[in-house]
Amino acid sequence: FLGKKQIDEEVLEELEEILIMADLGVKATQELIQTITKKVSHKEINNVEELKKVLKEEIFKMISINRPDFDIERQRPFVVMMVGVNGVGKTTTIAKLAKYYYDQGKKVLLVAADTFRAAAIEQLQAWAQRVGVDIYSQQSGADPAAVAFDGVQLAKNKGYDIVFIDTAGRLHTKINLMEELKKIKRVIQKIVPAAPHEIFLVLDATTGQNATSQTKLFNEALGITGIIMTKLDGTAKGGILVSVAHEFRIPIHFIGIGEKMDDLKPFDPEAFVEALF
Amino acid sequence: NLSDKLASVFKKLKGKGHLTEDDINKALKEVKLALLEADVNYKVVKDFLNRVKEKAVGQEVLKSLTPAQQVIKIVRDELVNLMGGTTPELNLKGKVPAVLMLVGLQGSGKTTTCAKLAKFLKSKRGRHPFLVPADVYRPAAIEQLQKLGEQIKVPVYHSSPEDNPVEICFQAVNEARQKGYDAVILDTAGRLHIDEKMMEELKQIKARVYPQEILLVADAMTGQDAVNVAKNFNKALDITGIILTKMEGDARGGAALSIKAVTQKPIKFIGVGEKLDALDVFHPDRIASRILG
Ligand SMILES: Nc1nc2c(ncn2[C@@H]2O[C@H](COP(=O)(O)OP(=O)(O)OP(=O)(O)O)[C@@H](O)[C@H]2O)c(=O)[nH]1
Ligand SMILES: Nc1nc2c(ncn2[C@@H]2O[C@H](COP(=O)(O)OP(=O)(O)OP(=O)(O)O)[C@@H](O)[C@H]2O)c(=O)[nH]1
Ligand SMILES: [Mg+2]
Ligand SMILES: [Mg+2]
């Protein structure tokens, strides 16, 4: 990208186009262009090759957040709650994470706390069977907090290493649904005070700047400890991750790159930056 | 918001009789920002601004409007013009049963929207719809549509995950014809527009049952990628319309303009919730205001 050697108005406009089209969003794009323009005027950047290098470094800074690799050994059961808006890939990602830890010899329990959406429980049950892990569920329409409570209780009693709690998709703007998530979190804390140890927000790579609003509201409601971005196997670049990481400083743990249980990779900031262009 | 920003752009231009090119350029900078913040595709924004500029330069400032209001009016009218057009009702004419096919990316809301359309056709259009689960890949996808069908008392074809989706659609249309159902709604699996094998499956379904409606179901919060998705689905299938889901959230919905601009196909409905009555007819003027912020 950016074929020319000299930096001029045309190059800066092309840069704007590249960043916007990668879904970095207006805010992050403006910040990056400001930084670049400043360095150009201070002669810290003198040609397009140097510009590209600095650009990648600046974006890398924005998304590589020092995260203590969440250590699932620090408590048993280690409780992970998955949240996010409708259809982003929460249930499928739980299946992938279950496989990931099952392969490491962990005793995994899935908790089907989406009791609302049609066949949500059946979907997670099918995945549990495919991966070869146990699942706790109640009937459709049951109180999600009650399911989460009983599930974590079971995990504690039966010595599971890690528990994944699947929740129903919901728009972050629906206050009563966000209250429901808060209740699930409170209820889990009653059995295991440090739980949930991780609350993962799942973001869809095809989402534009609404990802910022999603992260803000889910974080304000629950305290998000990690982000997983799915569907990076499509043509969307997922650039909004740059803006979200920069603004909220929440670590990005994994990316989803397909629909099968193996299609999960630990987040690699360098590879992500390279793929943006 | 945009009105305030434009008002301040024009604050210094009192008493002018018409909008000059320089005034317009300043104003369009603000409009560009608003559209990009709304997730409208970058190239679509560029084309759109050129059209607005053509319409705006040299225009007489209407006595009843300030220059800022004038520009907003031109922008809004152009947006409504681009996204609206002919009345976007469903085309159910021709052979019986009418066949509607829903397609789109993973998780966009196809299965739920199939059920919403069935409910709409049954309770608001006096039809006898038949739901067809043609997603044999996603775990419990067939069960999902079956459960939704039960909720709205609409019959659902008996698909099994071992079946071939093309055969499912073909057999289901035949069964509908035999049983006297007059509208068949095909729920297809979510897929990437770059997955050739899966796009080929959709082409085969189309060739086998020749649907009256091929509706692209897209998520209102989609970003810049909306044009790639829409372009490819349209190229492969010549879609007949678009349904935007999850519109009751706070996504600005710029994808609506991007998709319309690149396919020239009508946006027929919007999904405004998870319940099966949460389907509205698309109103271009409402979404125009929302996109402009
Ligand atoms: N291509 C691709 N598809 C994915 C990925 N992750 C999930 N999906 C698909 O996205 C669709 C939705 O996935 P789900 O796991 O049901 O999403 P969810 O967030 O649990 O949905 P709700 O519970 O309804 O809110 C399914 O068709 C998945 O196969 C991914 O990384 N890549
Ligand atoms: N808030 C909201 N959620 C919606 C709307 N339409 C669908 N959903 C939700 O979006 C999620 C995905 O819906 P599905 O119908 O499973 O999507 P799909 O396109 O069939 O998914 P795949 O078959 O996996 O590609 C579910 O949680 C639905 O309840 C809508 O208009 N508003
Ligand atoms: Mg789910
Ligand atoms: Mg579906």
Side-chain angles (χ1 to χ4, degrees):
Chain A
F1 72 105
L2 297 180
K4 318 175 55 168
K5 286 250 165 55
Q6 287 297 99
I7 298 176
D8 56 14
E9 253 327 294
E10 200 183 307
V11 167
L12 289 177
E13 211 189 286
E14 197 183 334
L15 179 61
E16 178 191 60
E17 177 174 333
I18 290 170
L19 296 176
I20 291 285
M21 303 255 299
D23 271 320
L24 263 79
V26 170
K27 197 149 162 259
T29 298
Q30 285 178 331
E31 271 182 50
L32 284 164
I33 294 194
Q34 260 180 26
T35 305
I36 298 279
T37 314
K38 220 195 232 149
K39 293 193 183 243
V40 169
S41 62
H42 292 165
K43 304 279 186 221
E44 294 170 48
I45 295 176
N46 298 300
N47 59 50
V48 169
E49 278 312 307
E50 291 177 0
L51 190 160
K52 285 193 205 177
K53 185 159 167 296
V54 170
L55 180 68
K56 290 183 184 178
E57 286 170 359
E58 288 300 314
I59 297 178
F60 182 84
K61 272 194 235 155
M62 286 163 117
I63 54 165
S64 50
I65 297 152
N66 265 334
R67 61 169 196 252
D69 257 341
F70 59 98
D71 169 26
I72 80 157
E73 311 281 339
R74 72 177 191 258
Q75 177 154 37
R76 191 201 271 162
F78 190 85
V79 182
V80 179
M81 196 173 150
M82 299 287 273
V83 302
V85 304
N86 310 74
V88 294
K90 299 175 292 300
T91 305
T92 309
T93 302
I94 286 181
K96 296 173 184 177
L97 288 169
K99 171 107 203 324
Y100 184 81
Y101 288 104
Y102 173 78
D103 286 348
Q104 293 180 19
K106 301 292 174 220
K107 190 169 176 200
V108 180
L109 179 70
L110 305 186
V111 175
D114 176 357
T115 56
F116 168 76
R117 206 210 68 212
I121 297 171
E122 287 82 344
Q123 184 187 5
L124 194 63
Q125 283 172 334
W127 274 120
Q129 197 179 51
R130 285 189 194 188
V131 175
V133 297
D134 297 335
I135 177 169
Y136 174 76
S137 63
Q138 293 183 17
Q139 75 287 2
S140 161
D143 172 17
V147 176
F149 184 90
D150 293 347
V152 175
Q153 185 77 274
L154 177 72
K156 193 166 167 213
N157 297 344
K158 300 285 178 176
Y160 284 92
D161 296 313
I162 183 164
V163 191
F164 291 100
I165 302 180
D166 190 16
T167 65
R170 70 206 61 217
L171 294 186
H172 46 299
T173 45
K174 299 192 174 171
I175 301 186
N176 57 329
L177 297 183
M178 296 304 283
E179 284 303 313
E180 179 184 89
L181 282 182
K182 288 186 197 170
K183 181 169 175 224
I184 294 176
K185 179 181 178 184
R186 277 199 306 274
V187 145
I188 296 173
Q189 283 169 339
K190 293 200 185 130
I191 321 163
V192 180
H197 302 89
E198 296 284 340
I199 302 182
F200 288 160
L201 175 64
V202 180
L203 295 175
D204 187 325
T206 65
T207 302
Q209 291 156 98
N210 194 248
T212 303
S213 173
Q214 293 175 24
T215 308
K216 177 168 187 290
L217 294 186
F218 273 97
N219 192 37
E220 278 172 14
L222 303 165
I224 299 297
T225 63
I227 287 174
I228 299 180
M229 177 166 269
T230 59
K231 308 183 195 171
L232 276 167
D233 46 317
T235 52
K237 302 283 187 172
I240 201 64
L241 208 54
V242 176
S243 178
V244 161
H246 185 51
E247 188 171 344
F248 300 100
R249 308 310 294 165
I250 299 173
I252 303 152
H253 288 305
F254 295 98
I255 60 169
I257 50 163
E259 303 192 66
K260 307 217 246 345
M261 62 174 87
D262 294 310
D263 293 330
L264 184 79
K265 292 217 310 242
F267 180 64
D268 175 352
E270 209 167 325
F272 183 80
V273 175
E274 285 300 318
L276 281 180
F277 309 109
Chain B
N1 64 18
L2 183 61
S3 313
D4 302 335
K5 291 197 191 142
L6 289 183
S8 71
V9 162
F10 284 118
K11 215 168 55 213
K12 322 170 189 91
L13 316 173
K14 286 225 176 65
K16 278 197 176 177
H18 59 266
L19 301 167
T20 68
E21 180 155 1
D22 198 53
D23 306 335
I24 301 291
N25 283 334
K26 288 199 181 69
L28 291 188
K29 269 195 155 57
E30 295 299 335
V31 176
K32 172 183 173 185
L33 222 57
L35 294 175
L36 289 180
E37 285 170 345
D39 287 322
V40 180
N41 182 271
Y42 191 87
K43 299 206 166 108
V44 171
V45 171
K46 266 198 153 166
D47 292 340
F48 178 78
L49 293 177
N50 284 333
R51 295 166 78 116
V52 167
K53 190 166 170 186
E54 274 177 34
K55 293 222 157 73
V57 173
Q59 260 209 15
E60 288 293 317
V61 177
L62 301 181
K63 288 239 159 37
S64 54
L65 301 177
T66 65
Q69 289 171 335
Q70 179 92 344
V71 171
I72 291 209
K73 178 167 185 335
I74 295 169
V75 170
R76 173 172 284 121
D77 287 352
E78 190 59 20
L79 268 181
V80 173
N81 214 3
L82 279 179
M83 291 194 298
T86 51
T87 164
E89 260 291 351
L90 289 174
N91 169 25
L92 303 173
K93 301 198 219 73
K95 63 182 181 1
V96 181
V99 180
L100 297 83
M101 180 181 173
L102 271 66
V103 302
L105 293 183
Q106 293 90 344
S108 60
K110 298 173 294 299
T111 305
T112 311
T113 305
C114 279
K116 289 180 182 179
L117 279 174
K119 176 158 202 215
F120 170 78
L121 288 177
K122 175 174 165 178
S123 43
K124 300 233 170 87
R125 293 288 178 272
R127 295 258 169 182
H128 298 96
F130 189 46
L131 285 167
V132 183
D135 178 355
V136 302
Y137 311 97
R138 169 172 155 156
I142 296 171
E143 286 88 325
Q144 185 183 3
L145 194 61
Q146 280 171 343
K147 297 221 170 173
L148 294 177
E150 282 167 29
Q151 284 179 28
I152 53 175
K153 304 214 173 25
V154 166
V156 182
Y157 177 79
H158 290 299
S159 309
S160 124
E162 291 80 44
D163 297 341
N164 170 323
V166 183
E167 277 311 303
I168 288 175
C169 294
F170 181 71
Q171 299 297 343
V173 174
N174 285 342
E175 180 169 324
R177 193 174 298 120
Q178 287 166 17
K179 296 188 171 168
Y181 301 125
D182 55 14
V184 177
I185 303 173
L186 309 175
D187 181 23
T188 67
R191 70 205 62 215
L192 296 178
H193 48 295
I194 51 171
D195 186 335
E196 293 197 9
K197 192 152 159 282
M198 289 298 274
M199 292 306 286
E200 183 56 31
E201 176 184 281
L202 291 182
K203 291 183 194 172
Q204 289 181 10
I205 293 175
K206 176 182 179 177
R208 220 47 204 295
V209 297
Y210 216 79
Q212 274 96 326
E213 289 278 1
I214 300 181
L215 302 166
L216 174 64
V217 178
D219 200 315
M221 57 191 184
T222 310
Q224 299 287 307
D225 202 45
V227 297
N228 296 329
V229 178
K231 208 182 277 174
N232 284 330
F233 272 92
N234 194 33
K235 189 151 167 275
L237 303 168
D238 190 14
I239 63 180
T240 59
I242 296 149
I243 300 182
L244 276 178
T245 60
K246 309 174 202 171
M247 282 283 284
E248 82 280 17
D250 63 349
R252 292 272 289 275
L257 178 59
S258 303
I259 294 176
K260 182 85 214 288
V262 93
T263 62
Q264 293 300 318
K265 299 292 166 69
I267 299 173
K268 302 213 169 190
F269 294 99
I270 57 172
V272 289
E274 299 192 61
K275 302 223 169 72
L276 300 182
D277 52 7
L279 187 73
D280 284 351
V281 167
F282 176 69
H283 288 288
D285 52 328
R286 285 183 209 162
I287 175 139
S289 304
R290 178 169 168 163
I291 288 177
L292 290 178

